[in-house]
Amino acid sequence: MEIRRSSEKDLERIMEIYAYARNFMAEHGNPNQWGPTQWPPASLIHHDILCGTSYVCVHENRIVGTLFFAMGDDIEPAYRYIEDGNWLHDGAYGAVHRLAGDGSVRGIGKFCLDWAYRQCGHLRIDTHGDNIVMQKLLKKEGFTHCGTIYVEEDSDPRLAYEKWEPPHMS
């Protein structure tokens, strides 16, 4: 598998993957994270493509997954306030949102998270409390549950996770 930036020609396939992901989440006890609002809207993905923050995961010349990824200081406004905990580390970080696969290849989520972490060495992500599949993946991949955040899209709290390791001193 490989990760590349999305292009306009990928939009239809990306939206197919999100439709699959909404159904998968509903079937696995998480009908409310994206389902009621048909999240994410094509207009947002189009914006992400134009901004260079939309990526696709490609396997054997076929798009099998997608994610939002951006790096920087204070890049996610929803992460400014965290309750019932604290972030592990301040400073620049990478953020992953809207991670989804089409179910055709095992390990898409792990592959995308590993790729994003290699880009920056400090990664933050959040997920709905009902998204047990994602919570298990984050725990397996060494993320720490840091607290609760809230997003603009709805009033449901999100579990906030972070992966960061301090530099090793010699």
Side-chain angles (χ1 to χ4, degrees):
M1 285 189 280
E2 67 176 3
I3 305 285
R4 68 164 172 80
R5 275 204 166 94
S6 305
S7 68
E8 288 291 328
K9 66 181 174 55
D10 301 326
L11 183 59
E12 183 177 343
R13 177 66 181 138
I14 291 169
M15 296 313 295
E16 290 172 0
I17 291 170
Y18 285 129
Y20 172 86
R22 283 190 294 274
N23 288 332
F24 177 89
M25 287 193 290
E27 291 171 1
H28 290 84
N30 183 21
N32 297 314
Q33 186 170 352
W34 291 351
T37 60
Q38 298 297 298
W39 190 260
S43 59
L44 177 61
I45 305 308
H46 176 76
H47 177 264
D48 292 347
I49 291 169
L50 293 177
C51 292
T53 55
S54 175
Y55 292 83
V56 290
C57 179
V58 180
H59 178 69
E60 296 179 351
N61 297 315
R62 179 170 165 75
I63 296 173
V64 296
T66 186
L67 71 150
F68 166 97
F69 174 73
M71 296 183 299
D73 289 309
D74 197 29
I75 56 172
E76 176 50 66
Y79 291 170
R80 290 179 188 147
Y81 173 74
I82 186 168
E83 64 181 37
D84 301 324
N86 293 292
W87 293 112
L88 301 175
H89 181 66
D90 293 328
Y93 60 89
V96 170
H97 296 302
R98 300 185 286 284
L99 173 59
D102 71 357
S104 68
V105 179
R106 289 188 56 83
I108 293 169
K110 175 184 174 15
F111 185 83
C112 291
L113 288 173
D114 289 348
W115 174 85
Y117 186 72
R118 284 193 311 272
Q119 306 309 301
C120 59
H122 181 199
L123 201 55
R124 291 180 180 174
I125 188 170
D126 63 87
T127 193
H128 196 280
D130 291 338
N131 196 338
I132 303 303
V133 173
M134 180 58 79
Q135 291 172 46
K136 286 180 179 179
L137 175 62
L138 294 171
K139 184 176 181 181
K140 183 178 177 183
E141 292 305 305
F143 284 79
T144 300
H145 176 242
C146 294
T148 303
I149 60 104
Y150 295 88
V151 296
E152 289 181 7
E153 293 78 38
D154 60 53
S155 60
D156 293 335
R158 297 297 196 272
L159 303 176
Y161 290 84
E162 186 170 29
K163 185 174 182 177
W164 175 78
E165 293 182 24
H168 298 286
M169 304 302 263
S170 38

